[in-house]
Amino acid sequence: MLPTTSPHTNGALGARDAARHTAGAKRYKYLRRLLHFRQMDFEFALWQMLYLFTSPQRVYRNFHYRKQTKDQWARDDPAFLVLLSIWLCVSTIGFGLVLDMGVLETLKLLLWVVFVDCIGVGLFISTLMWFITNKYLLKHPSRNFDVEWGYAFDVHLNAFYPLLVILHFLQLFFINHIVVINSDWFLGYFIGNTLWLIAIGYYLYITFLGYNALPFLQNTVVLLYPFALLGLIYVLSISLGWNFTKGLCWFYKYRVQ
């Protein structure tokens, strides 16, 4: 529920209510629910994953509802993170099989992908976006309106999920079968690089939607500017024969050596 006010505090939150709405309290509640699977709403998390592909605006509309009912923008249910982790583990094992890695090598790759690519990079990007939006994009900088770090992390997870499905799942079927994109022939790197274009484009667009949904931010259109660089890199990669998927496969094999 929304925080209540007392008539004797001139509209300010009482000490007890304020304590429940601190970042530390919200973080504790979120982490505590990680240990209670029965309290997680996996059905709703699956609904969000589906709509991140078909209608991501509807997902962020739900964030508005959460702000109105629970007085926070960030998720209070870790079900989405748990399902994303499962997707990540399964797809990484699939990469290990496609690249003919042994059990130990696949395990090393899984640890790298989970703790460095997902968690480490995710924490860095979330913190960077949290700093940039609060520093440069607030309409009226004040203590009453700011981007929650947890929300910045949720935006990253939302944007990361389609990228994960496209590059870590769908792409697996094209690496050694159907169209061998892990090769130097034109059709291979054209399809592979196009998948990269779509995946990163999804990431940028969903990230933009996430911050554009916050009513106290301005000039969020700047978050779409990287599309110009993305398009340029794509054209250059096709013209010069760069194969991003082949580079990814080489990088994964190099990691586990």
Side-chain angles (χ1 to χ4, degrees):
M1 296 179 62
L2 288 173
T4 56
T5 58
S6 169
H8 303 292
T9 57
N10 295 323
L13 283 175
R16 187 174 180 179
D17 288 329
R20 288 186 307 185
H21 290 85
T22 62
K26 294 175 181 177
R27 182 168 56 250
Y28 171 76
K29 180 181 178 182
Y30 184 89
L31 294 176
R32 185 181 61 181
R33 293 189 67 177
L34 276 173
L35 305 176
H36 299 84
F37 277 75
R38 293 184 179 180
Q39 297 181 9
M40 299 185 198
D41 191 348
F42 290 106
E43 183 178 353
F44 182 65
L46 287 171
W47 174 88
Q48 290 183 317
M49 288 181 167
L50 172 64
Y51 278 100
L52 282 172
F53 276 100
T54 60
S55 182
Q57 296 92 337
R58 295 187 63 177
V59 176
Y60 287 115
R61 199 176 304 143
N62 175 261
F63 280 75
H64 272 279
Y65 299 153
R66 183 181 300 108
K67 177 61 176 178
Q68 294 171 2
T69 58
K70 299 183 179 181
D71 195 37
Q72 69 177 63
W73 289 97
R75 288 187 177 98
D76 60 343
D77 185 352
F80 188 93
L81 177 61
V82 171
L83 291 180
L84 180 65
S85 301
I86 294 174
W87 261 103
L88 187 63
C89 292
V90 171
S91 61
T92 302
I93 293 173
F95 248 101
L97 294 174
V98 169
L99 298 180
D100 295 323
M101 294 182 179
V103 176
L104 183 59
E105 292 176 328
T106 302
L107 180 59
K108 288 181 180 179
L109 178 63
L110 180 61
L111 295 175
W112 269 102
V113 170
V114 171
F115 291 102
V116 178
D117 297 347
C118 182
I119 298 178
V121 174
L123 293 176
F124 173 76
I125 293 177
S126 302
T127 303
L128 179 64
M129 292 302 299
W130 170 77
F131 173 79
I132 291 175
T133 51
N134 282 317
K135 182 72 173 179
Y136 301 107
L137 300 183
L138 287 179
K139 290 181 180 178
H140 306 289
S142 69
R143 295 182 179 180
N144 297 325
F145 298 98
D146 64 346
V147 178
E148 301 170 8
W149 185 91
Y151 181 78
F153 187 64
D154 280 339
V155 170
H156 167 73
L157 294 182
N158 290 342
F160 181 74
Y161 172 68
L163 183 147
L164 171 68
V165 172
I166 295 171
L167 296 183
H168 250 238
F169 180 70
L170 294 180
Q171 191 172 221
L172 291 177
F173 299 98
F174 294 89
I175 290 180
N176 293 328
H177 305 284
I178 305 178
V179 177
V180 184
I181 60 178
N182 185 22
S183 64
D184 293 324
W185 63 313
F186 173 78
L187 185 60
Y189 63 74
F190 173 76
I191 293 179
N193 290 3
T194 300
L195 289 176
W196 278 83
L197 173 69
I198 296 171
I200 298 176
Y202 252 117
Y203 184 93
L204 295 175
Y205 178 62
I206 293 178
T207 298
F208 160 74
L209 289 179
Y211 293 104
N212 190 57
L214 300 179
F216 49 85
L217 293 184
Q218 62 181 348
N219 300 326
T220 53
V221 69
V222 299
L223 300 178
L224 294 176
Y225 289 175
F227 268 105
L229 179 61
L230 177 64
L232 176 61
I233 293 176
Y234 174 73
V235 172
L236 285 175
S237 70
I238 299 300
S239 303
L240 301 177
W242 299 341
N243 191 324
F244 297 138
T245 302
K246 185 176 181 179
L248 178 67
C249 293
W250 174 86
F251 180 62
Y252 277 178
K253 288 183 177 181
Y254 174 79
R255 270 182 163 181
V256 300
Q257 290 178 352

